[in-house]
Amino acid sequence: MGCNPLKKKKVEDTMVALFTFGELEIGVLTLIFLLPVLAAFPTWLIGRVRNDFSKYFALIISSIVMLLAILAWMMFENNSLLPASLHADRTLLATGGWSLTEDIAWIASIGMNYSLGVDGLSLPLVMLGGFIFVVAILASFNDINEREPAYYAMILLLETGVIGTFVATDFIVFFVAWELVLVPMFFLIGIWGGPKREYAAIYFFIYTHVASLFLLLGIIGMWLQTATTDAMVLTGLSSGTFSFQQMTYLAQNLVGGFGIELPVLLIFLALLFGFIVKVPSVPFHTWLPLAHVEAPTPGSMILAGLLLKMGGYGIMRMSGWFLPEALSEFAWLVAIIGLVSLLYGSWVALRQVDMKSLVAYSSVGHMGIILLGVATQTEAGFAAAMYMMIAHGIISPLMFFVAGTIGHSADTRDIPKLKGIAKQMPITAAVLVFGSFASAGLPGLAGFWSELLAFIALFSMEATMTIPVIGLTITGSAIALIGALGIIFTAAYYLWMLQRTVFGDVNPELKHAHDVSHLPQYLTLGLLCLFTLLLGLFPAFLIDLMSTASGFFASMF
């Protein structure tokens, strides 16, 4: 087992400080995490002076966060364009550790620290977060026309919650960021949403907050597991800990890891429930379509592009880094939930009339692929899940922006009423076709690679999964063959939607509809389409970036 390397390696040796104020050192992750929330109140104040100033200030802040995320990536990769003093220490990545770490004692008596870090799992999501908030703010320029100062302040508060979830390496910091997301999203839906916005906002908040209570119980359970005598001997601590680093170390060095005793399995199930509600997976998905339909377009973009990924990230982190033995016990359950979500989400999408609702149910189906990838417990499965999170995180905001643009221009999102929309809105219709093909997994676009990797992982999966009680054994190949129906349904509902909207003579009720005509709209469409294409043509960038994380994930099984 050896000595705990985390005791030897002080944070000062691993953190790259960008700014120093006396003895206080501020790293790039702290800036990415806290800059939006620190700018939220000034954004509101500036908007009180002149209403439209708030959106420009929020765009500037989010753009800075995006640039800082790119800087973090360059530091993480030890890019030659940066001086050596800004290069990150990568020595712990291969053993499940983090880079660019920051660690400040918070409540030392119970092992609670302000801890941040990134690895091949979290860094791509941080970069995605920086990008999506910029395009969501651009999309807001023509979509939000009332109470703008408060709106953009809520957007920045939401950004801190989302980014914090991905950079936190202490479970309490993680949970605070996780819960912080609920507040601004509640107001974004409840104030700037559609006709049923208040009901949708309350439903969203109650549903996800109840799941968070189970998540908190799981976190407390994990702390108790790190407070056992054997665990404290290994960590050298006098109490339990909320540290991701220490939990990962214990999972590797305790005999049998955290094990598969009943308390550990209950902890796994509590955490799993807390995460799959946010993904969301069937049968805990019912809050999502209503929230999407009623949320303002930029809110739907953030919800689909980032909030759903928080759940997927949590499942992948918990399963591979902390409780791999428990995942092996419940791989059958994760696989079944993923398979049902894929099939059910795709089938129900076929029956939708509202374009936003169709895209919402498509998200339920696509998120099922993440669970299938995790259930394989392989490097290819991890890569499939991770690629789906990033690809869907770009494609789904594109589709929601198109649906929202059509809805605002045509005064309806009902698919049967949008016949011949290409003649009235040619640019929007062209992007609708492009986004639909990308979401359906057309080769050369971002959605293709995750599906390919998922099927490779399932067909090459050697281990079988046995469902307790009934004793049914299922193989990866069987899951892949059944799951292929979901891919077929996905192509079917997109093609049927395109047939009823893009082609044919124009519905006379759409004569007033107009195409995109403002620079922010062009920028939003252009940026989302560009990265959908780039991720489709150059998958190696993302696969290489997450290679250490995917390799470590597979090594834990």
Side-chain angles (χ1 to χ4, degrees), residues 146 188-202 289-297 354 356 407-408 411-413:
E146 60 180 22
L188 288 175
I189 297 173
I191 297 175
W192 292 276
K196 299 180 181 178
R197 57 184 178 271
E198 294 179 2
Y199 174 74
I202 293 172
L290 180 62
H292 269 313
V293 169
E294 297 303 321
T297 297
D354 188 301
K356 252 193 170 186
H408 281 289
D411 295 325
T412 181
R413 294 191 304 264

Side-chain angles (χ1 to χ4, degrees), residues 409-410 421 424-425 509-515:
S409 178
I421 197 72
Q424 290 294 114
M425 307 174 67
E509 297 179 9
L510 301 180
K511 292 296 183 180
H512 66 284
H514 57 84
D515 212 345

Side-chain angles (χ1 to χ4, degrees), residues 117-419:
V118 289
D119 63 355
L121 171 58
S122 57
L123 181 57
L125 292 167
V126 173
M127 297 171 68
L128 176 68
F131 172 68
I132 292 301
F133 273 98
V134 169
V135 296
I137 290 174
L138 285 171
S140 303
F141 278 28
N142 295 100
D143 196 67
I144 304 299
N145 300 306
E146 60 180 22
R147 306 177 73 171
E148 292 183 40
Y151 171 84
Y152 289 105
M154 288 296 168
I155 288 288
L156 292 179
L157 185 61
L158 181 60
E159 184 167 14
T160 281
V162 171
I163 297 291
T165 301
F166 300 139
V167 301
T169 56
D170 179 279
F171 245 136
I172 297 301
V173 179
F174 173 89
F175 186 73
V176 169
W178 179 278
E179 284 293 274
L180 179 62
V181 166
L182 300 184
V183 177
M185 184 54 72
F186 172 81
F187 286 112
L188 288 175
I189 297 173
I191 297 175
W192 292 276
K196 299 180 181 178
R197 57 184 178 271
E198 294 179 2
Y199 174 74
I202 293 172
Y203 192 48
F204 159 78
F205 190 91
I206 292 176
Y207 213 121
T208 53
H209 187 59
V210 168
S212 295
L213 296 179
F214 283 86
L215 178 59
L216 181 59
L217 290 174
I219 291 172
I220 294 171
M222 286 299 300
W223 185 90
L224 292 173
Q225 292 299 311
T226 67
T228 63
T229 301
D230 291 342
M232 289 191 292
V233 168
L234 280 174
T235 61
L237 302 174
S238 58
S239 71
T241 178
F242 292 101
S243 168
F244 284 10
Q245 296 265 19
Q246 297 289 3
M247 289 180 185
T248 304
Y249 176 75
L250 291 173
Q252 294 173 280
N253 289 275
L254 282 171
V255 177
F258 285 109
I260 54 173
E261 289 76 20
L262 181 60
V264 176
L265 296 181
L266 291 176
I267 290 169
F268 178 88
L269 291 175
L271 292 172
L272 181 65
F273 177 73
F275 291 136
I276 63 173
V277 168
K278 186 69 69 107
V279 168
S281 299
V282 176
F284 310 111
H285 67 288
T286 54
W287 64 269
L288 180 69
L290 180 62
H292 269 313
V293 169
E294 297 303 321
T297 297
S300 293
M301 294 169 67
I302 296 171
L303 184 60
L306 294 170
L307 265 65
L308 309 190
K309 310 310 176 290
M310 291 165 56
Y313 168 78
I315 291 172
M316 296 170 75
R317 182 69 75 195
M318 167 192 68
S319 301
W321 274 253
F322 310 148
L323 300 171
E325 294 82 12
L327 174 63
S328 296
E329 287 292 306
F330 285 112
W332 63 271
L333 177 62
V334 175
I336 288 175
I337 294 174
L339 185 60
V340 171
S341 297
L342 174 60
L343 295 175
Y344 178 83
S346 303
W347 176 254
V348 175
L350 271 169
R351 303 177 60 186
Q352 299 310 300
V353 174
D354 188 301
M355 187 179 291
K356 252 193 170 186
S357 185
L358 181 147
V359 179
Y361 276 105
S362 78
S363 294
V364 175
H366 283 110
M367 293 300 97
I369 294 178
I370 294 175
L371 295 183
L372 290 177
V374 171
T376 66
Q377 307 164 67
T378 63
E379 187 169 353
F382 178 94
M386 188 62 196
Y387 216 100
M388 174 56 75
M389 288 209 291
I390 302 301
H392 183 268
I394 294 173
I395 297 170
S396 60
L398 174 63
M399 293 299 291
F400 277 113
F401 181 71
V402 170
T405 300
I406 292 174
H408 281 289
S409 178
D411 295 325
T412 181
R413 294 191 304 264
D414 287 355
I415 294 173
K417 297 180 180 179
L418 295 174
K419 185 177 181 181

Side-chain angles (χ1 to χ4, degrees), residues 355 399 402 405-406 418 420-437 497-498 501-503 514-516 525:
M355 187 179 291
M399 293 299 291
V402 170
T405 300
I406 292 174
L418 295 174
I421 197 72
K423 296 180 180 178
Q424 290 294 114
M425 307 174 67
I427 296 175
T428 305
V431 177
L432 176 63
V433 173
F434 176 84
S436 298
F437 285 166
M497 181 265 290
L498 293 175
T501 57
V502 175
F503 302 104
H514 57 84
D515 212 345
V516 291
L525 291 175

